[in-house]
Amino acid sequence: MKLFIVRLSFLLSIAIFPVFIKAQEKMISPAKIKSIKLIDLNGKAGQINLSTPVVFVFLSPECPLCKNYLPGLVKLQNANKGISFYGIIPGASYSLKEINELKNEYGINFNLLTDRGKQLSKYLGATTTPEVFLINKMGAITYNGLIDNWASSLGQKRLVITEKYLEQAIKDLSDGKQTFKKTIPVGCLINDI
């Protein structure tokens, strides 16, 4: 029986080790993040607080899917005050006025920052709006991808949401679970403008 337990422990450690490595590969550098030039809605340098867990949500003011998700993101941020939410607008296509209008129309209560040179987008590997990244206090990306499974593909939406990926990742983080998950985001591609 002892030999069985030892072998089982060994096999489990082999199965879990690649997940641990994958989570370790998804580390960000706080110094790199702080060096990226982001602009807030007042036209000043945007600051990101990395002393708490962070959610980056890549958004586009003209993406219908982003607009549909904004009320839910506001509720999720309100329910998780210990996590800093940042809406990141990649590229130079939108004026601060347009972004402020989006903020006011949807009652967004988290920081919106522009990533004009798409440096943060490229550093994290963001490709789509909306796309989320949950980063823990140690700088590990614990979740990346869809907010939930409502949008199954472009133009296709489920009647019932069965997977709340971001909400579950936040709960896992709050419960102290060491997890890493990635889903493929659906939405508007981040372009080169």
Side-chain angles (χ1 to χ4, degrees), residues 13-82:
S13 67
I14 290 173
I16 293 172
F17 188 68
V19 172
F20 177 73
I21 289 174
K22 188 165 189 116
Q24 293 302 311
E25 290 174 349
K26 299 292 182 180
M27 298 293 289
I28 58 119
S29 163
K32 175 68 175 169
I33 297 285
K34 288 183 182 200
S35 74
I36 294 172
K37 184 179 179 184
L38 300 170
I39 306 296
D40 69 16
L41 295 184
N42 296 316
K44 298 183 180 179
Q47 299 297 316
I48 294 177
N49 177 8
L50 294 171
S51 65
T52 64
V54 171
V55 171
F56 289 120
V57 183
F58 287 84
L59 299 168
S60 168
E62 66 183 9
C63 175
L65 199 54
C66 290
K67 291 177 181 181
N68 287 328
Y69 273 116
L70 284 172
L73 287 167
V74 168
K75 283 183 185 176
L76 194 56
Q77 193 277 327
N78 286 337
N80 294 282
K81 294 293 186 185

Side-chain angles (χ1 to χ4, degrees), residues 4 10 35 37 97 102 107 112 115 121 123 133 146 151-153 155-156 159 168 181 190 193:
F4 174 76
F10 177 73
S35 74
K37 184 179 179 184
K97 182 180 183 244
L102 179 76
L112 291 177
D115 182 19
S121 309
Y123 180 64
F133 291 81
L146 296 162
S152 54
S153 64
Q156 300 292 316
L159 294 176
Q168 184 61 51
K181 185 168 184 166
I190 295 173
I193 296 174

